[in-house]
Amino acid sequence: MNEYLDHARRNIQRAMNNSFNSLSEAAMLASELAASTGQQLLGGFMKLKEQKPKPLPKAKSVSELLLQPRLVSVVCGFPKNIEMYPEYCKGQFGEDAWFRASTAQADTLGVADGVGGWRVYGIDPGLFSRFLMRSCERLAHAADFEPTHPEQLLARAYCNLLEQKQPILGSCTACVLTLQRCSGKLFAANIGDSGLLIIRNGLIVCRSMEQQHHFNTPYQLAVPPPGHDYNVLTDGPECAALLQFEMQSGDLLLLATDGVFDNVPEQLLLRLLGPAAGISSAAKLQMYANSIALMARSLSFNPHHDSPFSQNARRHNIDAPGGKPDDITVLLASLV
């Protein structure tokens, strides 16, 4: 169509460049130009009419979607202080928060651990982590959500938190992951010491990278009180450690807060989860998630347990024997 419009423009320019000796000469040229331009435009429109519209992409059928890789996921956890949080509230265990979202294009999971030190300032540490995870869950259902970039999901949720008229103060670690269903690839973004493990054939084949400024001081997203910007550690979403991994059917995925990893050695996790390989039943998978959460809680209050946290402390010449009491959140998933 553009070639016909260009022809019309050339005809108009031709008329503008002519000088006329009489009105009749100008009228004659104008008539010729109108006829020529009209014929060219009409021809263009007729050609467009003859062209068949391009077909819209065919929507995948339900059976095609069911054949794509997907995550069967379950959750379990405990608050450190059960008396403070006596009732279960979906999406949180104490100051920990979590979410799950599933769409035709991706399965998305996330955990966040509110930094407990804010409580001494009268700030609920769980409010920050809960808001962040709820925002991630909502944005994971948005039409413009890109499963290959979970760091963008985390960044948008964090910006949403910053834009609140009533400031939500505090900080948290966070780990968000997506399984892109069309490719079977896992994408993850991690800030701090929450994290994920992927287990295949009884071995850990992938793990997220922990981020620490120094011992027991993880990277964290934060919104400090006014005037305290320079006294609070604040790491932006751009600091997230990114991960990409090609999943296989039967892989087990453990996404958890540090209440699990600080108390349960990896070899014990492998022993607990070994029989769960290939499970596609959520009910059966739930039993394994419960076992991990119960084990982590039990070990966290054991003063004689040589925990991963205690071992790490010794490497930094710090004496911290026993388990580390903490909120515990376990998301366990199997690729089917």
Side-chain angles (χ1 to χ4, degrees):
M1 188 63 192
N2 289 338
E3 60 182 291
Y4 302 110
L5 291 175
D6 289 341
H7 181 84
R9 292 189 188 101
R10 287 196 298 271
N11 282 345
I12 293 169
Q13 189 64 44
R14 176 183 154 207
M16 293 174 65
N17 292 337
N18 272 285
S19 56
F20 306 108
N21 296 321
S22 65
L23 287 175
S24 60
E25 184 180 342
M28 185 178 296
L29 180 57
S31 176
E32 291 174 359
L33 288 174
S36 173
T37 301
Q39 288 172 359
Q40 292 290 336
L41 288 173
L42 180 60
F45 281 124
M46 291 303 293
K47 283 197 173 185
L48 281 176
K49 190 175 179 181
E50 291 170 2
Q51 292 177 2
K52 292 183 179 180
K54 293 181 180 179
L56 293 172
K58 186 181 177 181
K60 291 185 181 295
S61 66
V62 174
S63 59
E64 287 175 320
L65 290 174
L66 289 175
L67 289 174
Q68 290 184 337
R70 63 187 178 90
L71 291 176
V72 174
S73 62
V74 295
V75 63
C76 187
F78 298 98
K80 178 176 69 174
N81 189 337
I82 292 180
E83 292 180 356
M84 187 178 291
Y85 300 94
E87 296 182 3
Y88 170 70
C89 181
K90 184 181 178 182
Q92 73 174 92
F93 295 110
E95 293 156 7
D96 285 359
W98 58 273
F99 82 94
R100 292 184 292 176
S102 184
T103 65
Q105 61 175 337
D107 292 315
T108 310
L109 310 175
V111 295
D113 181 359
V115 176
W118 288 102
R119 195 170 292 283
V120 299
Y121 299 98
I123 296 171
D124 177 3
L127 184 61
F128 191 97
S129 57
R130 290 194 297 272
F131 188 95
L132 187 73
M133 292 293 96
R134 283 200 299 267
S135 293
C136 282
E137 181 177 12
R138 175 175 53 80
L139 293 167
H141 286 97
D144 59 350
F145 170 53
E146 178 48 67
T148 59
H149 292 286
E151 73 279 8
Q152 293 180 5
L153 178 67
L154 202 54
R156 291 178 65 188
Y158 180 58
C159 287
N160 186 218
L161 190 150
L162 293 174
E163 292 167 354
Q164 297 305 298
K165 292 181 180 178
Q166 183 68 32
I168 299 174
L169 306 177
S171 59
C172 74
T173 65
C175 186
V176 174
L177 64 87
T178 61
L179 174 80
Q180 186 184 38
R181 298 188 64 190
C182 65
S183 68
K185 288 183 179 179
L186 181 101
F187 300 86
N190 184 56
I191 293 180
D193 56 3
S194 295
L196 67 90
L197 297 176
I198 299 173
I199 300 170
R200 178 184 298 164
N201 300 325
L203 299 173
I204 295 172
V205 292
C206 181
R207 59 162 57 83
S208 58
M209 185 179 73
E210 184 178 293
Q211 296 175 310
Q212 297 273 3
H213 288 285
H214 44 83
F215 176 68
N216 204 29
T217 309
Y219 281 39
Q220 53 201 264
L221 300 173
V223 177
H228 291 265
D229 302 56
Y230 298 103
N231 303 325
V232 175
L233 285 173
T234 304
D235 303 289
E238 69 280 0
C239 295
L242 306 182
L243 179 154
Q244 180 178 336
F245 186 75
E246 194 157 342
M247 300 280 283
Q248 292 182 11
S249 180
D251 284 352
L252 279 176
L253 168 67
L254 172 63
L255 174 64
T257 53
D258 65 329
V260 174
F261 299 118
D262 281 344
N263 289 294
V264 187
E266 284 189 357
Q267 288 306 310
L268 182 52
L269 284 172
L270 286 174
R271 206 154 60 235
L272 288 169
L273 291 174
I279 286 179
S280 60
S281 164
K284 291 181 180 178
L285 202 61
Q286 185 69 59
M287 293 190 294
Y288 289 94
N290 295 351
S291 296
I292 294 171
L294 283 165
M295 180 65 72
R297 179 166 176 80
S298 174
L299 293 175
S300 73
F301 287 100
N302 185 341
H304 307 294
H305 173 48
D306 190 20
S307 65
F309 180 81
S310 180
Q311 294 171 19
N312 192 24
R314 286 200 299 274
R315 285 192 286 270
H316 290 82
N317 298 315
I318 297 171
D319 186 28
K324 178 178 177 262
D326 203 351
D327 299 317
I328 291 162
T329 298
V330 173
L331 269 72
L332 186 62
S334 177
L335 186 76
V336 298

